[in-house]
């Protein structure tokens, strides 16, 4: 499982995991971070440690295909 931490144009944290992009949803107790998929209508979520490098929990499956082209463009910014 490949995890890449990035930043959005607005300076917010973003995460790419297995070619799917996630944004921070909220910071939880115990300094864990809840992430949600950036695709509209997708219910997939991740929970990581405070550094965002270790996946603790993964919920739901994606209801869409990956967009490698969008991810490449995002990472190049």
């Amino acid at each position: 499982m490949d995890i890449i931490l990035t930043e959005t144009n607005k300076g917010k944290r973003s995460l790419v995991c297995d070619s799917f992009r996630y944004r921070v949803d909220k910071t939880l107790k115990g300094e864990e971070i809840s992430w949600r998929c950036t695709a509209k209508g997708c219910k997939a979520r991740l929970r990581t440690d405070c550094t965002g490098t270790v996946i603790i929990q993964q919920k739901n499956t994606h209801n869409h295909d990956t967009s490698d082209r969008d991810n490449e463009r995002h990472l190049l910014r």
Side-chain angles (χ1 to χ4, degrees):
M1 202 172 280
D2 191 26
I3 299 173
I4 302 170
L5 290 171
T6 62
E7 194 173 277
T8 66
N9 290 340
K10 295 182 179 182
K12 300 196 180 210
R13 291 187 293 178
S14 177
L15 180 140
V16 178
C17 179
D18 292 336
S19 299
F20 291 103
R21 275 192 319 181
Y22 295 85
R23 65 175 174 82
V24 173
D25 188 32
K26 54 184 144 181
T27 303
L28 307 167
K29 291 181 183 178
E31 299 182 13
E32 293 178 357
I33 302 171
S34 176
W35 302 82
R36 74 180 305 150
C37 182
T38 59
K40 191 173 186 173
C42 184
K43 305 274 186 194
R45 293 179 172 272
L46 286 179
R47 186 177 290 182
T48 64
D49 64 345
C50 62
T51 62
T53 56
V54 177
I55 295 176
I56 297 169
Q57 183 180 27
Q58 192 167 6
K59 285 186 175 179
N60 302 323
T61 57
H62 294 273
N63 59 4
H64 57 94
D65 292 329
T66 63
S67 178
D68 292 329
R69 186 173 176 196
D70 287 343
N71 287 337
E72 285 180 33
R73 189 172 57 227
H74 177 74
L75 292 173
L76 288 174
R77 285 188 212 152

